[in-house]
C-alpha cells in the first residue's frame, strides 16, 4: 500500500497477486461510494472447489468493507465447454446439467451465511448479502 491509497485498500486486496489498474481502484475507493464488485463462475461441475474459495473470499472482503458483491453464475458459457474440443475437462453440457450444477453452487454459497437473489433466468445473478 502506498501512502496515497485509501486505508481499506490493503484489506480488500489481502492475498491478491495483482490488481489491474491499482490507481483506478484507489480512486474509486477514495470516492467513498460503495463499489459493485462482480464475480462470474461457470457451473461445470456440481461442487465449488478450493480455487473458487480464493476468489469468493476476495469478493467477501469487498462485501465486508461495505461494497455490493454480485455473483454471476453463467449458464450459457458453461454449456459451451471448450469450443476447440481439446480439453476433456470442459465438455459441452446440456442446459439441464448446467441448471443442476448452478443450483448446487447457489446452495453452497448460501450455506456460507450469504443470501442470494435471482436476477435473471438466463444468467443466474445472485447478490450476496451478508446476514450480520
Amino acid at each position: 500500500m502506498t501512502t496515497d491509497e485509501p486505508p481499506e485498500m490493503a484489506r480488500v486486496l489481502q492475498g491478491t497477486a495483482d490488481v489491474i489498474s491499482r490507481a483506478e481502484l484507489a480512486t474509486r475507493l477514495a470516492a467513498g461510494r460503495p463499489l459493485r464488485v462482480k464475480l462470474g463462475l461457470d457451473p461445470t461441475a456440481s461442487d465449488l472447489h478450493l480455487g473458487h474459495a480464493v476468489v469468493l473470499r476476495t469478493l467477501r472482503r469487498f462485501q465486508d468493507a461495505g461494497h455490493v458483491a454480485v455473483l454471476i453464475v453463467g449458464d450459457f458459457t458453461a454449456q459451451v465447454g471448450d469450443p476447440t474440443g481439446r480439453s476433456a475437462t470442459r465438455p459441452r453440457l446440456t442446459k439441464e446439467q448446467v441448471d443442476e450444477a448452478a443450483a448446487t453452487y447457489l446452495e453452497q454459497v448460501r450455506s456460507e451465511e450469504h443470501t442470494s437473489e435471482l436476477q435473471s433466468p438466463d444468467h443466474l445473478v445472485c447478490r450476496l448479502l451478508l446476514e450480520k
Side-chain angles (χ1 to χ4, degrees):
M1 182 172 109
T2 64
T3 56
D4 58 336
E5 290 179 349
E8 72 179 301
M9 186 92 157
R11 188 173 85 186
V12 297
L13 296 180
Q14 178 186 356
T16 58
D18 194 13
V19 177
I20 298 174
S21 191
R22 187 177 188 101
E24 182 179 350
L25 178 59
T27 300
R28 289 178 182 224
L29 289 172
R33 292 186 310 268
L35 301 178
R36 188 171 182 84
V37 183
K38 299 176 184 178
L39 171 64
L41 302 175
D42 284 345
T44 56
S46 61
D47 293 313
L48 294 170
H49 55 72
L50 189 57
H52 292 118
V54 173
V55 291
L56 286 168
R57 187 177 313 136
T58 300
L59 191 66
R60 180 67 167 264
R61 280 194 204 98
F62 275 96
Q63 185 180 26
D64 289 346
H67 304 287
V68 177
V70 179
L71 178 64
I72 301 168
V73 180
D75 58 349
F76 179 75
T77 51
Q79 289 178 59
V80 172
D82 176 10
T84 67
R86 290 182 277 188
S87 176
T89 60
R90 291 272 327 230
R92 290 186 62 122
L93 301 174
T94 66
K95 179 153 179 41
E96 292 74 25
Q97 289 172 308
V98 171
D99 288 346
E100 186 176 307
T104 65
Y105 273 33
L106 298 178
E107 288 172 22
Q108 291 169 67
V109 169
R110 285 184 190 123
S111 72
E112 294 300 316
E113 298 181 13
H114 292 88
T115 60
S116 301
E117 176 185 323
L118 184 62
Q119 296 276 331
S120 167
D122 294 327
H123 288 282
L124 300 176
V125 180
C126 301
R127 181 176 297 156
L128 304 179
L129 303 170
L130 178 62
E131 293 182 331
K132 294 185 179 185

